[in-house]
Amino acid sequence: MSDSAGSLGQEGLGAGRLEADPVLVVHPGVSGADVAETTFTCFAHTKSRLTVRLIVRRVRPTPGSQLALFTSYDHHAFVTDREGDVLEIEADHRRHAVVEQTIAELKSAGPAHLPSDRFTANAAWLALPVVAHNLGHAIGILAGHDLPRATAATLERTLFTVPGRLVHTARRLRLRLPVRWPRTDAYSEAVQAITALPQRR
């Protein structure tokens, strides 16, 4: 059984019930988060009932989080039947979430056109979005600031959609950006890093 994420409500995890009080594992070294674990029976009133581990990660809200009034924490829950240390399992679950985000980004690009009745078309729709995805995130890393972990949509909105103007000056092509554009520094750092790369001969 793979890890399954959901809310703490019974609707989110099926008709189940908690078997014991949660055991809180405070681990400040894990991004300042608290991790709690208890047992949970999924589909408790059916023949398919299954007792699993319910693990909840509690973190302080980050900028931009949508919280209810007077809510102090974000909670992220998932169930699993894996054995092992709760902190290692929780960290592995978050790593999977990063991979799933990447897969979702790729599915929204070229693979959305699959399948085709031509093998070469399928190969192109798979290879080109992967190349574009990797190049985009490489530029985000070079730009620094808050962009190294940005999604493809964020990079497109904040870095690739440039409100600038190409002008010819002294036989050279220059890009003029707005004076108060908030991404000027990140864009300039990315361009400088790219132009500093050694040229292949």
Side-chain angles (χ1 to χ4, degrees), residues 59-73:
V59 294
R60 292 287 184 182
T62 56
S65 297
Q66 294 184 355
L67 296 174
L69 190 62
F70 306 123
T71 299
S72 301
Y73 293 94

Side-chain angles (χ1 to χ4, degrees), residues 144-183:
H145 300 270
D146 59 338
L147 297 175
R149 291 192 173 185
T151 63
T154 300
L155 290 172
E156 180 180 357
R157 185 180 67 254
T158 61
L159 203 60
F160 301 148
T161 306
V162 182
R165 189 161 54 113
L166 283 173
V167 296
H168 289 275
T169 304
R171 297 184 179 181
R172 298 187 65 180
L173 199 60
R174 298 180 182 273
L175 176 63
R176 289 185 177 177
L177 300 175
V179 177
R180 294 184 177 84
W181 186 44
R183 295 293 179 177

Side-chain angles (χ1 to χ4, degrees), residues 6 26 28 31 35 47-48 55 62 75 115 118-119 130 140 145 198 201:
V26 180
S31 304
V35 179
K47 294 181 180 180
S48 303
I55 300 174
T62 56
H75 293 84
R118 297 186 179 183
F119 178 81
V130 170
H145 300 270
R201 299 184 183 278

Side-chain angles (χ1 to χ4, degrees), residues 197-201:
L197 294 175
Q199 300 290 325
R200 294 186 62 180
R201 299 184 183 278

Side-chain angles (χ1 to χ4, degrees), residues 20-52:
D21 292 333
V23 177
L24 180 64
V25 180
V26 180
H27 199 286
V30 187
S31 304
D34 299 328
V35 179
E37 176 188 2
T38 188
T39 54
F40 183 84
T41 301
C42 299
F43 316 109
H45 303 295
T46 70
K47 294 181 180 180
S48 303
R49 59 181 175 271
L50 177 67
T51 300
V52 293

Side-chain angles (χ1 to χ4, degrees), residues 81-100:
D81 62 354
R82 294 174 54 187
E83 297 180 356
D85 180 72
V86 60
L87 295 178
E88 293 180 359
I89 294 175
E90 192 275 331
D92 192 47
H93 176 75
R94 283 185 285 115
R95 285 192 291 269
H96 288 172
V98 174
V99 173
E100 291 171 1

